[in-house]
Amino acid sequence: MPDLLMNPWFYAAAVPATILIGLSKGGLGGAMGQVGVPLMALVMPPVQAAAIMLPILIIMDVASLWSWRGYRDMTTLKLMLPGGLLGVGIGWLTASIVTDDMVKLIVGLVAIIFFTRYVFASATKRATAQSHNGASATLWATIAGFTSFVAHAGGPPYQVYTLPLRQDPKIYNGTSVIFFAVINAIKVIPYFALGQFDATNLKASAVLVPLAPLATFAGAWIVKRMRPEVFYPFMYAMILLMGLKLTYDGIASLSYF
């Protein structure tokens, strides 16, 4: 394989991917973040793209934790973090048999169904805040941890549980930042164990790292100035776009078999 850092196509894909993921980590919609790894996968294997992105995600998590410090819902974290960690463990144990394409299709369909439910509830004027539910939180957090491990796509399952809570946007974003910061930090252990980190990938990560906090702070700056009546429709629109993209990618890839 040619030297990755000497390939101009690497920068053409990885730089915008890092910026989009940073804006997403700052709170500006999950669909932007979901574009990142597929964009990088245009010029490298998807597994390598995910491995390069994980250290960058952790740097973004640090920036996000600073941007959203003081904003959190401890009930959400207490209910969801155990399931999230369980999902990472399941992803580690099944890494050899579950493909990225299968996960993309599942996550994409979940996101589309979730958006459809939101539209129906809005049309019938039933889009009201829901209460916490321990069983539901554990289920969706486990799925979020699993899909985050295998495809960096934990956003839609997490949002299926948390968006109907109708939290203040600042509380919502601050809580999601903490959840995924913990999940991404834990993922480092199995990624090392599976041999995903080598010198080439770590060097590529280091080159992209300076962009990470800048894009993340920019996303947080924008979201903190959005009103709830703008924030929630925007987030649901991003979920639809993300669902359509992941579903298309999953079907297109599986159709080759």
Side-chain angles (χ1 to χ4, degrees):
M1 180 180 295
D3 187 353
L4 185 66
L5 297 181
M6 298 300 292
N7 183 356
W9 290 111
F10 164 73
Y11 296 98
V15 170
T18 302
I19 293 173
L20 289 172
I21 293 174
L23 291 171
S24 175
K25 294 291 286 185
L28 200 59
M32 292 183 178
Q34 298 301 325
V35 171
V37 171
L39 181 58
M40 292 176 65
L42 294 174
V43 297
M44 67 185 71
V47 173
Q48 184 181 19
I52 290 172
M53 192 51 59
L54 182 56
I56 298 171
L57 288 174
I58 293 174
I59 297 297
M60 291 176 177
D61 286 334
V62 174
S64 294
L65 288 169
W66 173 259
S67 295
W68 296 103
R69 64 192 184 280
Y71 298 107
R72 68 179 68 88
D73 177 44
M74 292 305 301
T75 301
T76 301
L77 293 173
K78 290 177 181 178
L79 290 175
M80 298 195 74
L81 276 175
L85 298 179
L86 174 62
V88 170
I90 295 173
W92 186 359
L93 293 174
T94 60
S96 61
I97 59 175
V98 177
T99 67
D100 290 350
D101 298 324
M102 293 167 56
V103 175
K104 287 179 181 179
L105 181 58
I106 293 170
V107 174
L109 291 174
V110 167
I112 292 172
I113 293 171
F114 181 51
F115 175 83
T116 303
R117 188 182 71 171
Y118 164 75
V119 172
F120 176 78
S122 298
T124 56
K125 302 186 185 302
R126 291 191 290 109
T128 57
Q130 298 183 10
S131 301
H132 281 292
N133 181 291
S136 179
T138 299
L139 171 64
W140 290 111
T142 301
I143 297 173
F146 173 76
T147 54
S148 178
F149 178 83
V150 299
H152 294 334
Y158 177 86
Q159 292 164 335
V160 168
Y161 178 76
T162 55
L163 280 181
L165 298 175
R166 304 291 293 183
Q167 298 168 331
D168 179 272
K170 296 183 180 67
I171 298 297
Y172 168 84
N173 280 294
T175 305
S176 66
V177 162
I178 295 172
F179 178 83
F180 284 107
V182 173
I183 295 300
N184 286 332
I186 294 298
K187 281 156 57 176
V188 170
I189 299 172
Y191 265 62
F192 264 117
L194 293 171
Q196 295 293 331
F197 296 132
D198 57 23
T200 297
N201 290 345
L202 290 176
K203 288 179 181 177
S205 299
V207 169
L208 298 171
V209 158
L211 293 173
L214 296 177
T216 303
F217 286 138
W221 185 89
I222 294 172
V223 170
K224 286 181 179 180
R225 287 155 179 80
M226 294 177 71
R227 300 187 307 276
E229 58 270 25
V230 175
F231 174 80
Y232 277 99
F234 176 80
M235 287 296 294
Y236 279 102
M238 291 296 99
I239 290 173
L240 176 62
L241 292 176
M242 176 174 49
L244 293 173
K245 177 69 169 64
L246 290 173
T247 300
Y248 174 81
D249 289 346
I251 293 175
S253 298
L254 292 174
S255 66
Y256 286 110
F257 294 96

